[in-house]
Amino acid sequence: QKLPSGRGTQREVAAMSCPGRRISAFAHIEDTAKFKPEDFRRAGINEADILEMKANFDLLDINGRGELDLDDVIDELQSFKIERIEQEPLMIAVRACRRKSSSADFPTFMDALAPLLAVTEPTEDALRRAWRLMDEGKRGIICVDDLARIVNKFQMGLTQEEISDMVAFADDNSNGEVSFDEFRAIVGQSALPAD
């Protein structure tokens, strides 16, 4: 699956994190034979997705222990100086795991990464849930401060200027605030029927 930024697949980004690691082709076959993707199946995720996540995990597991040292993984991924790495599903999942522990096994890694891959087209319900996260005061509008709070909460690494630009882009009537309809028009890209 290509990364949203068009820089390659998650596996390619993960492979960059351990360029000197030599992996035996037989080791991968042996690991694959033991690994049962059907044990990890869930709604919105197929076996190919699970195998891709397992391949990512294995590339990041440089010691081959079946457990990621999350601080090392974060350092390695950041060392590539990839623009907007913080917004990549792989990095978001690693950071989500890190908030809970300093290491992660495959089920934990998959629990963090799978929801990010299962997202397809936004539904009205998904947009309303996202809106409620941003509109904490239930005012019916969000402003730069609301979006900045969410960006900081989820460690998305956007600058204040980028956040202001996002609000200005969505703000059709130039009042400095974004309504749900303006939000839906941008995020839903007219994929959803109007109320």
Side-chain angles (χ1 to χ4, degrees), residues 116-182:
L116 302 171
L117 300 178
V119 175
T120 54
E121 291 185 26
T123 63
E124 182 77 17
D125 187 47
L127 289 177
R128 290 204 181 273
R129 279 194 312 267
W131 178 260
R132 284 191 295 271
L133 284 174
M134 292 183 287
D135 184 19
E136 244 181 18
K138 296 181 176 43
R139 298 174 300 144
I141 51 98
I142 58 171
C143 62
V144 171
D145 291 340
D146 297 317
L147 189 55
R149 181 182 43 77
I150 292 297
V151 165
N152 290 330
K153 180 178 181 177
F154 292 103
Q155 300 176 359
M156 298 171 77
L158 297 173
T159 67
Q160 189 67 31
E161 182 180 3
E162 289 170 319
I163 295 168
S164 295
D165 287 347
M166 291 169 71
V167 169
F169 182 76
D171 182 14
D172 278 345
N173 60 8
S174 301
N175 66 352
E177 301 170 333
V178 177
S179 68
F180 178 75
D181 290 335
E182 291 169 322

Short mmCIF file of all heavy atoms in Angstrom, two decimals, residues 116-182:
data_model
loop_
_atom_site.label_atom_id
_atom_site.label_comp_id
_atom_site.label_asym_id
_atom_site.label_seq_id
_atom_site.Cartn_x
_atom_site.Cartn_y
_atom_site.Cartn_z
N LEU A 116 -5.57 2.65 11.03
CA LEU A 116 -5.09 3.69 10.10
C LEU A 116 -5.14 3.20 8.67
O LEU A 116 -5.29 3.99 7.73
CB LEU A 116 -3.67 4.10 10.46
CG LEU A 116 -3.50 4.64 11.88
CD1 LEU A 116 -2.02 4.82 12.21
CD2 LEU A 116 -4.25 5.95 12.04
N LEU A 117 -5.03 1.90 8.47
CA LEU A 117 -5.08 1.33 7.13
C LEU A 117 -6.50 0.99 6.70
O LEU A 117 -6.79 0.94 5.51
CB LEU A 117 -4.22 0.07 7.05
CG LEU A 117 -2.75 0.25 7.37
CD1 LEU A 117 -2.03 -1.08 7.29
CD2 LEU A 117 -2.11 1.27 6.45
N ALA A 118 -7.37 0.76 7.67
CA ALA A 118 -8.74 0.35 7.36
C ALA A 118 -9.61 1.51 6.91
O ALA A 118 -10.68 1.31 6.37
CB ALA A 118 -9.37 -0.33 8.58
N VAL A 119 -9.15 2.74 7.13
CA VAL A 119 -9.94 3.90 6.74
C VAL A 119 -10.00 3.98 5.22
O VAL A 119 -9.00 3.95 4.55
CB VAL A 119 -9.32 5.21 7.31
CG1 VAL A 119 -10.06 6.42 6.80
CG2 VAL A 119 -9.33 5.16 8.82
N THR A 120 -11.20 4.03 4.71
CA THR A 120 -11.37 4.16 3.26
C THR A 120 -11.99 5.51 3.00
O THR A 120 -11.38 6.52 3.23
CB THR A 120 -12.20 2.99 2.71
OG1 THR A 120 -13.43 2.92 3.44
CG2 THR A 120 -11.45 1.67 2.82
N GLU A 121 -13.22 5.51 2.57
CA GLU A 121 -13.89 6.79 2.33
C GLU A 121 -14.58 7.23 3.62
O GLU A 121 -15.13 6.42 4.35
CB GLU A 121 -14.92 6.62 1.22
CG GLU A 121 -14.27 6.39 -0.13
CD GLU A 121 -15.31 6.35 -1.23
OE1 GLU A 121 -16.39 6.96 -1.09
OE2 GLU A 121 -15.03 5.72 -2.25
N PRO A 122 -14.56 8.53 3.87
CA PRO A 122 -15.19 9.00 5.10
C PRO A 122 -16.70 8.81 5.05
O PRO A 122 -17.33 9.05 4.03
CB PRO A 122 -14.83 10.48 5.15
CG PRO A 122 -14.51 10.85 3.74
CD PRO A 122 -13.99 9.61 3.08
N THR A 123 -17.25 8.36 6.15
CA THR A 123 -18.70 8.25 6.26
C THR A 123 -19.18 9.46 7.06
O THR A 123 -18.40 10.12 7.75
CB THR A 123 -19.10 6.96 7.00
OG1 THR A 123 -18.59 7.03 8.34
CG2 THR A 123 -18.56 5.72 6.31
N GLU A 124 -20.44 9.72 6.98
CA GLU A 124 -21.03 10.82 7.75
C GLU A 124 -20.75 10.62 9.24
O GLU A 124 -20.36 11.55 9.95
CB GLU A 124 -22.53 10.91 7.49
CG GLU A 124 -23.22 12.04 8.20
CD GLU A 124 -22.99 13.41 7.56
OE1 GLU A 124 -22.57 13.48 6.39
OE2 GLU A 124 -23.23 14.41 8.25
N ASP A 125 -20.90 9.38 9.71
CA ASP A 125 -20.67 9.09 11.13
C ASP A 125 -19.21 9.34 11.51
O ASP A 125 -18.93 9.92 12.55
CB ASP A 125 -21.06 7.63 11.41
CG ASP A 125 -21.02 7.30 12.89
OD1 ASP A 125 -21.56 8.10 13.69
OD2 ASP A 125 -20.44 6.26 13.24
N ALA A 126 -18.27 8.91 10.66
CA ALA A 126 -16.84 9.12 10.94
C ALA A 126 -16.51 10.61 10.96
O ALA A 126 -15.74 11.07 11.82
CB ALA A 126 -15.99 8.40 9.90
N LEU A 127 -17.09 11.37 10.05
CA LEU A 127 -16.84 12.81 10.02
C LEU A 127 -17.40 13.48 11.27
O LEU A 127 -16.76 14.36 11.85
CB LEU A 127 -17.44 13.45 8.77
CG LEU A 127 -16.73 13.13 7.46
CD1 LEU A 127 -17.47 13.78 6.30
CD2 LEU A 127 -15.29 13.57 7.49
N ARG A 128 -18.58 13.06 11.70
CA ARG A 128 -19.17 13.64 12.92
C ARG A 128 -18.35 13.30 14.16
O ARG A 128 -18.19 14.14 15.05
CB ARG A 128 -20.62 13.20 13.08
CG ARG A 128 -21.51 13.84 12.01
CD ARG A 128 -22.96 13.91 12.44
NE ARG A 128 -23.76 14.49 11.37
CZ ARG A 128 -23.94 15.80 11.20
NH1 ARG A 128 -23.37 16.66 12.01
NH2 ARG A 128 -24.69 16.25 10.21
N ARG A 129 -17.80 12.07 14.23
CA ARG A 129 -16.93 11.71 15.36
C ARG A 129 -15.68 12.57 15.36
O ARG A 129 -15.26 13.07 16.41
CB ARG A 129 -16.55 10.22 15.30
CG ARG A 129 -17.63 9.30 15.82
CD ARG A 129 -17.12 7.90 16.06
NE ARG A 129 -16.36 7.36 14.95
CZ ARG A 129 -16.86 6.62 13.97
NH1 ARG A 129 -18.14 6.32 13.96
NH2 ARG A 129 -16.10 6.16 13.01
N ALA A 130 -15.07 12.75 14.20
CA ALA A 130 -13.87 13.59 14.10
C ALA A 130 -14.20 15.02 14.48
O ALA A 130 -13.44 15.69 15.19
CB ALA A 130 -13.31 13.53 12.68
N TRP A 131 -15.36 15.49 14.04
CA TRP A 131 -15.79 16.86 14.35
C TRP A 131 -15.94 17.05 15.86
O TRP A 131 -15.50 18.03 16.44
CB TRP A 131 -17.10 17.18 13.63
CG TRP A 131 -17.61 18.53 13.96
CD1 TRP A 131 -18.59 18.86 14.84
CD2 TRP A 131 -17.13 19.78 13.44
NE1 TRP A 131 -18.77 20.21 14.89
CE2 TRP A 131 -17.88 20.80 14.03
CE3 TRP A 131 -16.15 20.11 12.51
CZ2 TRP A 131 -17.67 22.14 13.74
CZ3 TRP A 131 -15.94 21.44 12.22
CH2 TRP A 131 -16.69 22.45 12.83
N ARG A 132 -16.56 16.05 16.53
CA ARG A 132 -16.77 16.15 17.98
C ARG A 132 -15.44 16.21 18.74
O ARG A 132 -15.35 16.86 19.78
CB ARG A 132 -17.63 15.00 18.48
CG ARG A 132 -19.11 15.18 18.15
CD ARG A 132 -19.99 14.17 18.88
NE ARG A 132 -19.77 12.80 18.48
CZ ARG A 132 -20.39 12.19 17.48
NH1 ARG A 132 -21.29 12.83 16.77
NH2 ARG A 132 -20.14 10.94 17.19
N LEU A 133 -14.41 15.54 18.22
CA LEU A 133 -13.08 15.63 18.84
C LEU A 133 -12.54 17.05 18.78
O LEU A 133 -11.92 17.54 19.72
CB LEU A 133 -12.09 14.70 18.13
CG LEU A 133 -12.19 13.22 18.43
CD1 LEU A 133 -11.24 12.45 17.52
CD2 LEU A 133 -11.88 12.94 19.88
N MET A 134 -12.77 17.71 17.67
CA MET A 134 -12.24 19.06 17.49
C MET A 134 -13.11 20.12 18.16
O MET A 134 -12.60 21.09 18.70
CB MET A 134 -12.08 19.37 16.00
CG MET A 134 -10.99 18.54 15.34
SD MET A 134 -10.74 18.94 13.62
CE MET A 134 -12.19 18.24 12.88
N ASP A 135 -14.42 19.94 18.12
CA ASP A 135 -15.35 20.91 18.66
C ASP A 135 -15.70 20.55 20.11
O ASP A 135 -16.85 20.24 20.43
CB ASP A 135 -16.62 20.97 17.79
CG ASP A 135 -17.60 22.04 18.25
OD1 ASP A 135 -17.20 22.96 18.98
OD2 ASP A 135 -18.78 21.93 17.87
N GLU A 136 -14.69 20.58 20.96
CA GLU A 136 -14.86 20.16 22.35
C GLU A 136 -15.90 20.99 23.10
O GLU A 136 -16.63 20.48 23.93
CB GLU A 136 -13.51 20.25 23.08
CG GLU A 136 -13.02 18.94 23.55
CD GLU A 136 -11.70 19.06 24.29
OE1 GLU A 136 -11.32 20.15 24.74
OE2 GLU A 136 -11.04 18.03 24.41
N GLY A 137 -15.97 22.28 22.78
CA GLY A 137 -16.91 23.16 23.46
C GLY A 137 -18.32 23.09 22.90
O GLY A 137 -19.20 23.81 23.36
N LYS A 138 -18.53 22.24 21.91
CA LYS A 138 -19.84 22.06 21.27
C LYS A 138 -20.43 23.39 20.80
O LYS A 138 -21.61 23.67 20.97
CB LYS A 138 -20.80 21.33 22.21
CG LYS A 138 -20.36 19.91 22.52
CD LYS A 138 -21.35 19.23 23.43
CE LYS A 138 -21.07 17.82 23.75
NZ LYS A 138 -19.78 17.35 24.05
N ARG A 139 -19.56 24.22 20.19
CA ARG A 139 -19.98 25.53 19.70
C ARG A 139 -20.49 25.47 18.26
O ARG A 139 -21.03 26.43 17.76
CB ARG A 139 -18.80 26.51 19.77
CG ARG A 139 -18.32 26.74 21.20
CD ARG A 139 -17.06 27.58 21.25
NE ARG A 139 -16.00 26.90 20.51
CZ ARG A 139 -15.08 27.51 19.78
NH1 ARG A 139 -15.07 28.80 19.65
NH2 ARG A 139 -14.15 26.80 19.16
N GLY A 140 -20.25 24.35 17.57
CA GLY A 140 -20.68 24.23 16.18
C GLY A 140 -19.66 24.80 15.20
O GLY A 140 -19.90 24.78 13.99
N ILE A 141 -18.55 25.26 15.71
CA ILE A 141 -17.47 25.80 14.86
C ILE A 141 -16.13 25.41 15.49
O ILE A 141 -16.05 25.11 16.68
CB ILE A 141 -17.55 27.34 14.71
CG1 ILE A 141 -17.67 28.04 16.08
CG2 ILE A 141 -18.70 27.74 13.82
CD1 ILE A 141 -16.39 28.56 16.61
N ILE A 142 -15.11 25.39 14.63
CA ILE A 142 -13.75 25.22 15.16
C ILE A 142 -12.90 26.36 14.62
O ILE A 142 -13.18 26.92 13.56
CB ILE A 142 -13.11 23.86 14.80
CG1 ILE A 142 -13.04 23.65 13.29
CG2 ILE A 142 -13.83 22.72 15.49
CD1 ILE A 142 -12.25 22.43 12.86
N CYS A 143 -11.89 26.70 15.38
CA CYS A 143 -10.98 27.76 14.97
C CYS A 143 -9.55 27.23 15.03
O CYS A 143 -9.32 26.05 15.32
CB CYS A 143 -11.16 28.98 15.88
SG CYS A 143 -10.78 28.65 17.61
N VAL A 144 -8.59 28.08 14.79
CA VAL A 144 -7.19 27.69 14.78
C VAL A 144 -6.80 27.04 16.12
O VAL A 144 -6.11 26.02 16.14
CB VAL A 144 -6.28 28.90 14.46
CG1 VAL A 144 -4.82 28.56 14.67
CG2 VAL A 144 -6.52 29.38 13.04
N ASP A 145 -7.26 27.62 17.24
CA ASP A 145 -6.91 27.08 18.55
C ASP A 145 -7.43 25.65 18.74
O ASP A 145 -6.74 24.80 19.32
CB ASP A 145 -7.44 27.97 19.67
CG ASP A 145 -6.73 29.31 19.74
OD1 ASP A 145 -5.61 29.43 19.19
OD2 ASP A 145 -7.31 30.25 20.32
N ASP A 146 -8.64 25.38 18.26
CA ASP A 146 -9.21 24.03 18.37
C ASP A 146 -8.38 23.02 17.59
O ASP A 146 -8.06 21.94 18.08
CB ASP A 146 -10.65 24.00 17.85
CG ASP A 146 -11.60 24.87 18.65
OD1 ASP A 146 -11.52 24.85 19.90
OD2 ASP A 146 -12.41 25.58 18.03
N LEU A 147 -8.03 23.39 16.36
CA LEU A 147 -7.24 22.49 15.53
C LEU A 147 -5.83 22.32 16.10
O LEU A 147 -5.29 21.21 16.11
CB LEU A 147 -7.19 23.00 14.09
CG LEU A 147 -6.57 22.06 13.06
CD1 LEU A 147 -7.25 20.70 13.05
CD2 LEU A 147 -6.65 22.69 11.67
N ALA A 148 -5.25 23.39 16.63
CA ALA A 148 -3.91 23.31 17.23
C ALA A 148 -3.91 22.36 18.43
O ALA A 148 -2.96 21.60 18.62
CB ALA A 148 -3.44 24.70 17.64
N ARG A 149 -4.98 22.39 19.21
CA ARG A 149 -5.08 21.49 20.37
C ARG A 149 -5.05 20.04 19.92
O ARG A 149 -4.35 19.20 20.49
CB ARG A 149 -6.37 21.79 21.14
CG ARG A 149 -6.58 20.94 22.38
CD ARG A 149 -7.89 21.27 23.08
NE ARG A 149 -9.03 21.43 22.19
CZ ARG A 149 -9.69 20.43 21.59
NH1 ARG A 149 -9.31 19.19 21.78
NH2 ARG A 149 -10.72 20.67 20.81
N ILE A 150 -5.79 19.72 18.86
CA ILE A 150 -5.83 18.35 18.34
C ILE A 150 -4.47 17.96 17.75
O ILE A 150 -3.98 16.85 17.99
CB ILE A 150 -6.94 18.21 17.26
CG1 ILE A 150 -8.31 18.35 17.90
CG2 ILE A 150 -6.83 16.90 16.51
CD1 ILE A 150 -8.66 17.29 18.92
N VAL A 151 -3.87 18.85 17.01
CA VAL A 151 -2.55 18.59 16.41
C VAL A 151 -1.53 18.29 17.50
O VAL A 151 -0.74 17.35 17.39
CB VAL A 151 -2.11 19.78 15.52
CG1 VAL A 151 -0.63 19.71 15.20
CG2 VAL A 151 -2.95 19.81 14.25
N ASN A 152 -1.55 19.07 18.57
CA ASN A 152 -0.62 18.84 19.68
C ASN A 152 -0.95 17.56 20.44
O ASN A 152 -0.06 16.80 20.81
CB ASN A 152 -0.61 20.03 20.64
CG ASN A 152 0.03 21.24 20.02
OD1 ASN A 152 0.91 21.14 19.18
ND2 ASN A 152 -0.43 22.42 20.42
N LYS A 153 -2.23 17.30 20.66
CA LYS A 153 -2.65 16.11 21.39
C LYS A 153 -2.17 14.84 20.69
O LYS A 153 -1.72 13.90 21.33
CB LYS A 153 -4.17 16.09 21.51
CG LYS A 153 -4.73 14.90 22.25
CD LYS A 153 -6.24 14.99 22.38
CE LYS A 153 -6.80 13.80 23.13
NZ LYS A 153 -8.26 13.93 23.31
N PHE A 154 -2.27 14.81 19.36
CA PHE A 154 -1.89 13.63 18.60
C PHE A 154 -0.48 13.73 18.02
O PHE A 154 -0.09 12.93 17.18
CB PHE A 154 -2.92 13.34 17.50
CG PHE A 154 -4.24 12.91 18.07
CD1 PHE A 154 -5.31 13.78 18.12
CD2 PHE A 154 -4.41 11.64 18.59
CE1 PHE A 154 -6.53 13.39 18.66
CE2 PHE A 154 -5.61 11.24 19.14
CZ PHE A 154 -6.67 12.12 19.17
N GLN A 155 0.28 14.73 18.48
CA GLN A 155 1.68 14.91 18.08
C GLN A 155 1.86 14.82 16.57
O GLN A 155 2.68 14.08 16.07
CB GLN A 155 2.56 13.88 18.79
CG GLN A 155 2.51 13.98 20.28
CD GLN A 155 3.30 12.89 20.98
OE1 GLN A 155 3.90 12.04 20.36
NE2 GLN A 155 3.30 12.94 22.29
N MET A 156 1.07 15.60 15.84
CA MET A 156 1.10 15.55 14.39
C MET A 156 2.22 16.39 13.78
O MET A 156 2.50 16.28 12.60
CB MET A 156 -0.26 15.96 13.82
CG MET A 156 -1.36 15.02 14.26
SD MET A 156 -3.00 15.59 13.83
CE MET A 156 -3.02 15.21 12.09
N GLY A 157 2.86 17.22 14.57
CA GLY A 157 4.03 17.94 14.10
C GLY A 157 3.77 19.03 13.07
O GLY A 157 4.65 19.31 12.26
N LEU A 158 2.61 19.64 13.09
CA LEU A 158 2.33 20.74 12.17
C LEU A 158 2.69 22.06 12.83
O LEU A 158 2.57 22.21 14.05
CB LEU A 158 0.84 20.76 11.80
CG LEU A 158 0.32 19.53 11.04
CD1 LEU A 158 -1.19 19.64 10.89
CD2 LEU A 158 0.98 19.40 9.68
N THR A 159 3.12 23.01 12.03
CA THR A 159 3.45 24.34 12.55
C THR A 159 2.17 25.14 12.72
O THR A 159 1.13 24.82 12.14
CB THR A 159 4.40 25.09 11.61
OG1 THR A 159 3.69 25.38 10.40
CG2 THR A 159 5.66 24.30 11.32
N GLN A 160 2.25 26.22 13.48
CA GLN A 160 1.11 27.11 13.67
C GLN A 160 0.67 27.69 12.32
O GLN A 160 -0.52 27.84 12.06
CB GLN A 160 1.46 28.22 14.66
CG GLN A 160 0.28 29.06 15.08
CD GLN A 160 -0.74 28.28 15.90
OE1 GLN A 160 -0.40 27.35 16.63
NE2 GLN A 160 -2.00 28.66 15.80
N GLU A 161 1.64 27.99 11.47
CA GLU A 161 1.32 28.52 10.14
C GLU A 161 0.54 27.50 9.31
O GLU A 161 -0.45 27.85 8.64
CB GLU A 161 2.60 28.92 9.41
CG GLU A 161 2.34 29.52 8.04
CD GLU A 161 3.63 29.91 7.32
OE1 GLU A 161 4.74 29.66 7.85
OE2 GLU A 161 3.51 30.44 6.21
N GLU A 162 0.94 26.23 9.37
CA GLU A 162 0.23 25.19 8.63
C GLU A 162 -1.19 25.02 9.15
O GLU A 162 -2.14 24.86 8.37
CB GLU A 162 1.00 23.86 8.71
CG GLU A 162 2.29 23.86 7.92
CD GLU A 162 3.15 22.64 8.20
OE1 GLU A 162 3.26 22.22 9.38
OE2 GLU A 162 3.73 22.11 7.24
N ILE A 163 -1.35 25.08 10.46
CA ILE A 163 -2.68 24.96 11.06
C ILE A 163 -3.55 26.13 10.63
O ILE A 163 -4.71 25.95 10.23
CB ILE A 163 -2.56 24.87 12.60
CG1 ILE A 163 -1.84 23.59 13.00
CG2 ILE A 163 -3.94 24.96 13.26
CD1 ILE A 163 -1.41 23.54 14.45
N SER A 164 -3.00 27.33 10.66
CA SER A 164 -3.75 28.51 10.23
C SER A 164 -4.14 28.41 8.76
O SER A 164 -5.26 28.77 8.38
CB SER A 164 -2.92 29.78 10.45
OG SER A 164 -2.69 29.98 11.82
N ASP A 165 -3.23 27.90 7.94
CA ASP A 165 -3.52 27.73 6.51
C ASP A 165 -4.65 26.72 6.30
O ASP A 165 -5.50 26.92 5.42
CB ASP A 165 -2.27 27.26 5.76
CG ASP A 165 -1.24 28.36 5.59
OD1 ASP A 165 -1.56 29.54 5.84
OD2 ASP A 165 -0.09 28.03 5.21
N MET A 166 -4.66 25.66 7.09
CA MET A 166 -5.72 24.66 6.96
C MET A 166 -7.09 25.27 7.28
O MET A 166 -8.06 25.02 6.57
CB MET A 166 -5.43 23.47 7.88
CG MET A 166 -4.24 22.64 7.43
SD MET A 166 -3.72 21.44 8.67
CE MET A 166 -5.06 20.27 8.62
N VAL A 167 -7.15 26.03 8.35
CA VAL A 167 -8.41 26.66 8.73
C VAL A 167 -8.83 27.66 7.66
O VAL A 167 -9.99 27.68 7.23
CB VAL A 167 -8.32 27.33 10.12
CG1 VAL A 167 -9.53 28.21 10.41
CG2 VAL A 167 -8.16 26.27 11.21
N ALA A 168 -7.90 28.47 7.18
CA ALA A 168 -8.22 29.46 6.14
C ALA A 168 -8.71 28.78 4.87
O ALA A 168 -9.64 29.26 4.20
CB ALA A 168 -6.99 30.32 5.84
N PHE A 169 -8.12 27.64 4.53
CA PHE A 169 -8.52 26.91 3.32
C PHE A 169 -9.95 26.40 3.43
O PHE A 169 -10.72 26.45 2.46
CB PHE A 169 -7.55 25.74 3.07
CG PHE A 169 -7.85 24.96 1.83
CD1 PHE A 169 -7.51 25.47 0.58
CD2 PHE A 169 -8.46 23.72 1.90
CE1 PHE A 169 -7.79 24.76 -0.57
CE2 PHE A 169 -8.73 22.99 0.75
CZ PHE A 169 -8.40 23.52 -0.49
N ALA A 170 -10.32 25.91 4.60
CA ALA A 170 -11.67 25.36 4.79
C ALA A 170 -12.72 26.43 5.05
O ALA A 170 -13.91 26.19 4.86
CB ALA A 170 -11.65 24.36 5.95
N ASP A 171 -12.30 27.62 5.46
CA ASP A 171 -13.20 28.70 5.86
C ASP A 171 -13.75 29.44 4.64
O ASP A 171 -13.19 30.42 4.19
CB ASP A 171 -12.43 29.65 6.78
CG ASP A 171 -13.29 30.79 7.30
OD1 ASP A 171 -14.53 30.71 7.18
OD2 ASP A 171 -12.70 31.75 7.83
N ASP A 172 -14.88 28.96 4.13
CA ASP A 172 -15.48 29.54 2.92
C ASP A 172 -15.90 31.00 3.08
O ASP A 172 -15.78 31.79 2.17
CB ASP A 172 -16.71 28.74 2.48
CG ASP A 172 -16.33 27.50 1.68
OD1 ASP A 172 -15.18 27.41 1.22
OD2 ASP A 172 -17.20 26.62 1.53
N ASN A 173 -16.42 31.35 4.25
CA ASN A 173 -16.94 32.71 4.42
C ASN A 173 -15.93 33.66 5.09
O ASN A 173 -16.28 34.77 5.46
CB ASN A 173 -18.26 32.69 5.19
CG ASN A 173 -18.12 32.09 6.57
OD1 ASN A 173 -17.02 31.81 7.04
ND2 ASN A 173 -19.26 31.88 7.23
N SER A 174 -14.70 33.21 5.24
CA SER A 174 -13.59 34.05 5.76
C SER A 174 -13.89 34.70 7.11
O SER A 174 -13.49 35.83 7.36
CB SER A 174 -13.22 35.12 4.73
OG SER A 174 -12.83 34.51 3.52
N ASN A 175 -14.56 33.96 8.00
CA ASN A 175 -14.84 34.51 9.33
C ASN A 175 -13.86 33.99 10.39
O ASN A 175 -14.03 34.26 11.57
CB ASN A 175 -16.29 34.23 9.74
CG ASN A 175 -16.57 32.75 9.94
OD1 ASN A 175 -15.73 31.89 9.64
ND2 ASN A 175 -17.77 32.44 10.41
N GLY A 176 -12.85 33.22 9.97
CA GLY A 176 -11.86 32.69 10.89
C GLY A 176 -12.29 31.44 11.62
O GLY A 176 -11.58 30.96 12.50
N GLU A 177 -13.44 30.91 11.25
CA GLU A 177 -13.97 29.71 11.87
C GLU A 177 -14.45 28.75 10.80
O GLU A 177 -14.81 29.16 9.70
CB GLU A 177 -15.14 30.06 12.79
CG GLU A 177 -14.76 31.03 13.90
CD GLU A 177 -15.95 31.56 14.65
OE1 GLU A 177 -17.06 31.64 14.08
OE2 GLU A 177 -15.77 31.91 15.82
N VAL A 178 -14.46 27.46 11.13
CA VAL A 178 -14.92 26.43 10.20
C VAL A 178 -16.15 25.76 10.78
O VAL A 178 -16.11 25.28 11.92
CB VAL A 178 -13.80 25.39 9.94
CG1 VAL A 178 -14.29 24.28 9.02
CG2 VAL A 178 -12.56 26.06 9.36
N SER A 179 -17.22 25.74 10.01
CA SER A 179 -18.44 25.06 10.43
C SER A 179 -18.34 23.58 10.03
O SER A 179 -17.47 23.19 9.25
CB SER A 179 -19.65 25.68 9.75
OG SER A 179 -19.61 25.40 8.35
N PHE A 180 -19.27 22.77 10.52
CA PHE A 180 -19.26 21.36 10.14
C PHE A 180 -19.44 21.21 8.63
O PHE A 180 -18.79 20.37 8.01
CB PHE A 180 -20.34 20.56 10.88
CG PHE A 180 -20.37 19.11 10.45
CD1 PHE A 180 -19.38 18.23 10.89
CD2 PHE A 180 -21.33 18.65 9.58
CE1 PHE A 180 -19.37 16.91 10.48
CE2 PHE A 180 -21.33 17.33 9.15
CZ PHE A 180 -20.36 16.45 9.61
N ASP A 181 -20.32 22.00 8.03
CA ASP A 181 -20.53 21.90 6.58
C ASP A 181 -19.26 22.24 5.80
O ASP A 181 -18.94 21.58 4.81
CB ASP A 181 -21.69 22.81 6.14
CG ASP A 181 -23.03 22.28 6.61
OD1 ASP A 181 -23.15 21.06 6.85
OD2 ASP A 181 -23.96 23.09 6.75
N GLU A 182 -18.51 23.24 6.26
CA GLU A 182 -17.23 23.58 5.61
C GLU A 182 -16.23 22.44 5.81
O GLU A 182 -15.50 22.07 4.89
CB GLU A 182 -16.67 24.89 6.18
CG GLU A 182 -17.48 26.11 5.78
CD GLU A 182 -17.07 27.36 6.55
OE1 GLU A 182 -16.76 27.27 7.76
OE2 GLU A 182 -17.07 28.44 5.93
#
